[in-house]
Amino acid sequence: MTTLSSRPGNGQTGPADDLVIALHDVHRRFHAVQALDGISLEVRKGEILGIIGRSGAGKSTLIRCLNGLERPDRGSIRIEGTEIAGLTERALQPLRRRIGMIFQHFNLLSAKTVEENVALPLKIAGLAREERRARARALLDLVGLADKASAYPAALSGGQKQRVGIARALAAEPALLLSDEATSALDPETTRSILALLRDINRKLGLTIVLITHEMDVVRAVADRVAVIDAGRIVEEGPVWRVFSDPQAQITRSLLQGSRPQLPETLAARLGEPASGSTAILSLDAAGQAVVDGVQATLARLSPEGVRILHGGIEQIQSQPVARLFLGLPGEQALVDRVLSDLSAQGARLEVLGHVANPV
């Protein structure tokens, strides 16, 4: 059986020659629409980068620029050190073989078997039949479909079709895998299995992956780093755990609403000004083991004074604890100020959301 090559590295830091993607000040306009407005971005070997934004934010234009299907109006796009913005279509062909693509709707050829679909890029590249077949079967084994080699796409589930799409994208041993909303047509359970497969491939092969998505849960499940795009600009980027715990841009906070605990509507509807005997409602965000440990110890110390956790929790993102909590405490200003001071000293970020009349 053909063996699958492995590339080292997790892509987080490294020298300039470790860069797979380097974009600088990339612009692209379509008539009155500024699709990309000064995008600068780097992706290193072995990294999984999630690029997230709403529809129309510029995600699709960006991914088409990365594989040379769109040409920027100005700016630099380097793939493995090669400037591609000015290349002819002929000169782009070898580079495109270094880039695999997986799509939302699979794009499989219905008249070809699973094995033939996977082997198609190798046939185009001129490999001998036996070599194509061996490579295709090794890839089908990698994605868990070794028993489906002779099946046709119509006989497969959506998740199986996407696994075939992933195997086909890996056929030419690319340096870069681009995923364009590859899970948005799948149910949640199948999505989880596809994301686990992508993470497994990343670890086994050291493959660099860029995921284009509008779903924060996809980013949280698989990405090392996230870049948030809005109106053609990168408005925020960083490690996933840090962006989830401390979103800076309004668009990021909006995208995260479905992925982070929110104040229950029954409490939010009652928020008002301080009054005698009212309860102050605070939001608390904290991330990192030392910070979360300090917050928990401080809350335990403050609990005899009536400080309570009303909602929220602590989750693990990239092996880092991330806390999002909503606190209730007696509304006396002196106590509110002390709670804010004591928890802020531990590294937590707090906001007084308002007060509600008792009981809470």
Side-chain angles (χ1 to χ4, degrees):
M1 178 180 289
T2 296
T3 57
L4 303 176
S5 62
S6 175
R7 297 182 179 90
N10 63 12
Q12 295 304 300
T13 59
D17 61 3
D18 207 33
L19 289 176
V20 175
I21 297 173
L23 281 71
H24 178 69
D25 198 30
V26 173
H27 292 73
R28 184 70 171 104
R29 175 182 286 276
F30 299 98
H31 303 294
V33 177
Q34 188 71 48
L36 300 179
D37 190 12
I39 296 284
S40 294
L41 194 63
E42 293 183 347
V43 188
R44 296 188 177 276
K45 288 181 182 177
E47 183 177 16
I48 301 180
L49 174 70
I51 299 177
I52 188 165
R54 293 185 175 129
S55 296
K59 304 188 303 296
S60 294
T61 302
L62 178 56
I63 203 168
R64 287 173 64 84
C65 284
L66 288 176
N67 62 19
L69 293 176
E70 289 286 350
R71 304 298 180 95
D73 298 322
R74 70 176 191 268
S76 171
I77 301 176
R78 290 183 175 274
I79 305 295
E80 292 192 299
T82 299
E83 176 61 62
I84 72 168
L87 291 182
T88 65
E89 190 65 25
R90 176 182 285 249
L92 273 170
Q93 293 310 310
L95 180 130
R96 286 199 180 119
R97 287 195 286 271
R98 300 287 290 157
I99 301 174
M101 282 286 301
I102 52 176
F103 305 91
Q104 178 179 359
H105 297 296
F106 323 126
N107 290 11
L108 302 180
L109 298 178
S110 60
K112 292 187 177 294
T113 66
V114 163
E115 182 182 302
E116 288 168 342
N117 268 278
V118 174
L120 184 59
L122 303 176
K123 184 176 182 180
I124 294 171
L127 269 70
R129 180 180 179 184
E130 286 307 310
E131 190 174 354
R132 298 197 307 263
R133 187 173 185 182
R135 174 73 180 165
R137 288 183 177 269
L139 286 165
L140 288 172
D141 185 56
L142 177 69
V143 302
L145 291 178
D147 61 334
K148 300 292 184 181
S150 300
Y152 286 87
L156 304 181
S157 68
Q160 289 172 330
K161 289 176 183 177
Q162 195 55 282
R163 286 173 181 265
V164 176
I166 291 169
R168 180 186 57 192
L170 297 175
E173 298 186 273
L176 172 64
L177 182 63
L178 302 179
S179 167
D180 188 7
E181 300 281 8
T183 60
S184 59
L186 305 175
D187 62 74
E189 183 179 358
T190 305
T191 292
R192 286 192 292 272
S193 72
I194 293 298
L195 294 177
L197 173 62
L198 289 175
R199 172 54 82 180
D200 186 53
I201 288 168
N202 165 259
R203 288 170 176 162
K204 286 180 177 177
L205 305 183
L207 184 66
T208 305
I209 302 175
V210 174
L211 297 160
I212 300 290
T213 183
H214 64 277
E215 300 173 284
M216 272 293 188
D217 285 341
V218 168
V219 171
R220 176 171 56 184
V222 71
D224 302 309
R225 191 162 54 92
V226 60
V228 183
I229 187 171
D230 186 42
R233 298 181 178 182
I234 301 294
V235 296
E236 185 163 4
E237 85 178 91
V240 171
W241 71 272
R242 191 172 296 283
V243 171
F244 268 68
S245 67
D246 188 19
Q248 299 295 304
Q250 178 57 44
I251 180 63
T252 311
R253 291 192 288 271
S254 177
L255 289 167
L256 277 169
Q257 279 190 342
S259 300
R260 305 173 76 218
Q262 303 295 315
L263 186 67
E265 291 183 6
T266 52
L267 272 180
R270 296 170 57 194
L271 288 175
E273 298 299 318
S276 177
S278 67
T279 296
I281 307 297
L282 282 63
S283 66
L284 180 152
D285 290 284
Q289 195 65 58
V291 174
V292 171
D293 287 348
V295 164
Q296 290 179 306
T298 301
L299 288 174
R301 176 170 55 80
L302 291 169
S303 63
E305 299 186 59
V307 178
R308 294 177 293 145
I309 298 174
L310 303 177
H311 185 64
I314 301 171
E315 61 178 331
Q316 293 285 323
I317 301 178
Q318 293 181 301
S319 302
Q320 292 282 352
V322 174
R324 170 76 162 165
L325 304 173
F326 296 92
L327 310 178
L329 58 146
E332 292 87 354
Q333 192 60 48
L335 177 59
V336 172
D337 290 343
R338 185 153 56 83
V339 169
L340 290 171
S341 176
D342 289 358
L343 288 169
S344 295
Q346 298 299 328
R349 295 169 301 284
L350 295 106
E351 180 183 356
V352 179
L353 302 177
H355 292 68
V356 299
N358 287 332
V360 176

